[in-house]
């Protein structure tokens, strides 16, 4: 893919607690909440990161990231739990291949609701 890429991160749903959040929680019983943020990468190069939302497993972001892509192959969205000490904890990810997006393109040049 060659062109201008604009990604809008709306929300994340169904996020599950990580081992770290369960192990370091003050409240051992009940539902554990995360402090999640989303990173946006094109071919393993980070092009954006959302703000961290505190204590939620269904964060709403409504944040946009734009970049020019030259010979791009894939876009990856990754969710992390912001930990106070050490490395942030991986929660989930999704990889979209530009080739698959372009193959399914209709009359519009945008892909919404993914």
């Amino acid at each position: 893919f060659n062109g201008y890429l604009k990604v809008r991160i709306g929300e994340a749903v169904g996020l599950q607690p990580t081992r770290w959040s369960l192990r370091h929680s003050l409240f051992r019983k009940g539902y554990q909440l995360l402090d999640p943020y989303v990173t946006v990468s094109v071919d393993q190069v980070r092009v954006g990161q959302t703000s961290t939302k505190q204590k939620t497993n269904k964060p709403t972001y409504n944040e946009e990231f734009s970049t020019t892509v030259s010979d791009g192959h894939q876009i990856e969205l990754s969710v992390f739990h912001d930990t106070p000490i050490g490395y942030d904890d991986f929660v989930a990810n999704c990889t979209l291949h530009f080739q698959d997006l372009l193959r399914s393109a209709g009359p519009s040049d945008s892909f919404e609701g993914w």
Side-chain angles (χ1 to χ4, degrees):
F1 171 76
N2 292 304
Y4 181 74
L5 174 69
K6 182 164 72 170
V7 177
R8 180 179 180 88
I9 305 297
E11 66 180 354
V13 294
L15 298 179
Q16 298 297 314
T18 64
R19 281 191 227 141
W20 193 97
S21 68
L22 291 172
R23 187 174 46 221
H24 294 92
S25 174
L26 296 175
F27 307 101
R28 293 282 179 205
K29 296 180 181 177
Y31 198 62
Q32 303 299 318
L33 299 175
L34 298 172
D35 297 330
Y37 66 88
V38 179
T39 63
V40 179
S41 300
V42 174
D43 294 334
Q44 299 181 349
V45 175
R46 186 176 292 187
V47 296
Q49 177 177 318
T50 66
S51 58
T52 299
K53 300 299 180 179
Q54 301 295 313
K55 301 191 184 334
T56 180
N57 290 350
K58 189 180 177 185
T60 300
Y61 298 101
N62 293 320
E63 297 179 31
E64 285 187 1
F65 304 97
S66 304
T67 188
T68 301
V69 177
S70 179
D71 196 28
H73 297 283
Q74 65 185 23
I75 180 170
E76 182 177 17
L77 307 173
S78 299
V79 181
F80 292 90
H81 168 63
D82 191 5
T83 61
I85 299 172
Y87 295 106
D88 291 345
D89 208 8
F90 172 80
V91 177
N93 73 335
C94 173
T95 301
L96 301 169
H97 297 274
F98 287 117
Q99 184 178 11
D100 295 339
L101 292 173
L102 294 171
R103 193 177 306 132
S104 65
S108 171
D109 289 332
S110 66
F111 305 91
E112 296 187 21
W114 290 41

